[in-house]
Amino acid sequence: AQKITQTQPGMFVQEKEAVTLDCTYDTSDPSYGLFWYKQPSSGEMIFLIYQGSYDQQNATEGRYSLNFQKARKSANLVISASQLGDSAMYFCAMRERGNTPLVFGKGTRLSVIA
Amino acid sequence: DAGITQSPRHKVTETGTPVTLRCHQTENHRYMYWYRQDPGHGLRLIHYSYGVKDTDKGEVSDGYSVSRSKTEDFLLTLESATSSQTSVYFCAISEYSDEETQYFGPGTRLLVL
């Protein structure tokens, strides 16, 4: 069974608008971490934001925030005030207890339109 | 930026030849990983290492071997390359902590003809 599901292969958003990228996960481990990465067309993987399973508040990093709904097992990425430079692939990933390797979703390609 | 380099960055090879990709880090991190990225599959773990000479298999380890004789170097070997191993290969590193993210190298684009 897939541990990380990203149901949106591609999305479009108007510049300056907010956009939500969906991510659901599956784990029976009570301790886990959720991560989002950005991969621009140049190919590098850029870490964006982290949410721990025991964190009481949603994580935020600048224009990025993580809408963490533990009961629904979702960890959606919200990008506010989209910019043309936000056009990229976005990957959701999870790590279960301990320093196990990250498991990645298949990604969502975001295109920001001027 | 985490100090991770991968070599070569691009390689074209023929089916049946051995290929070795190198990942080098200057961060002294304990954990190192090899992933492959293919369209429609995201990133999939090939092998990882949790210390010198300590390695374990990932989701797609068939046809690959790894070695780590020094903290800073993690080698991925395709013993006999096949066209299905055409991919982009990423190395990543992390330190021991639940919330510690993995930092990725720039990737190696491998084409097996």
Side-chain angles (χ1 to χ4, degrees), chain B residues 41-67:
Chain B
H41 290 278
L43 280 83
R44 294 180 292 174
L45 181 70
I46 306 171
H47 282 279
Y48 70 103
S49 168
Y50 45 95
V52 173
K53 299 192 188 306
D54 292 323
T55 64
D56 206 349
K57 295 180 180 180
E59 177 189 358
V60 290
S61 60
D62 287 349
Y64 302 94
S65 62
V66 289
S67 66

Side-chain angles (χ1 to χ4, degrees), chain A residues 11-105:
Chain A
M11 288 192 70
F12 291 89
V13 65
Q14 202 77 34
E15 196 178 8
K16 300 180 185 177
E17 297 292 313
V19 62
T20 298
L21 307 183
D22 294 342
C23 173
T24 58
Y25 59 91
D26 182 29
T27 181
S28 56
D29 195 329
S31 176
Y32 53 89
L34 297 155
F35 303 78
W36 277 92
Y37 286 82
K38 172 184 178 182
Q39 186 179 42
S41 58
S42 52
E44 70 268 32
M45 293 288 289
I46 302 168
F47 166 68
L48 295 178
I49 195 166
Y50 163 82
Q51 179 84 44
S53 60
Y54 294 119
D55 292 344
Q56 296 297 312
Q57 293 188 317
N58 288 343
T60 61
E61 288 288 347
R63 294 186 300 110
Y64 304 108
S65 61
L66 202 153
N67 184 1
F68 181 45
Q69 298 188 46
K70 196 169 183 177
R72 298 176 68 177
K73 294 189 175 180
S74 74
N76 299 339
L77 177 70
V78 180
I79 305 174
S80 62
S82 297
Q83 303 172 356
L84 295 177
D86 294 334
S87 294
M89 282 289 287
Y90 288 82
F91 292 96
C92 179
M94 178 177 68
R95 169 186 289 135
E96 293 173 316
R97 187 188 301 272
N99 205 340
T100 55
L102 294 180
V103 176
F104 286 82

Side-chain angles (χ1 to χ4, degrees), chain B residues 51-83:
Chain B
V52 173
K53 299 192 188 306
D54 292 323
T55 64
D56 206 349
K57 295 180 180 180
E59 177 189 358
V60 290
S61 60
D62 287 349
Y64 302 94
S65 62
V66 289
S67 66
R68 190 168 178 202
S69 58
K70 297 184 291 185
T71 298
E72 58 266 34
D73 289 325
F74 192 32
L75 304 181
L76 176 71
T77 297
L78 292 65
E79 302 290 347
S80 178
T82 67
S83 58

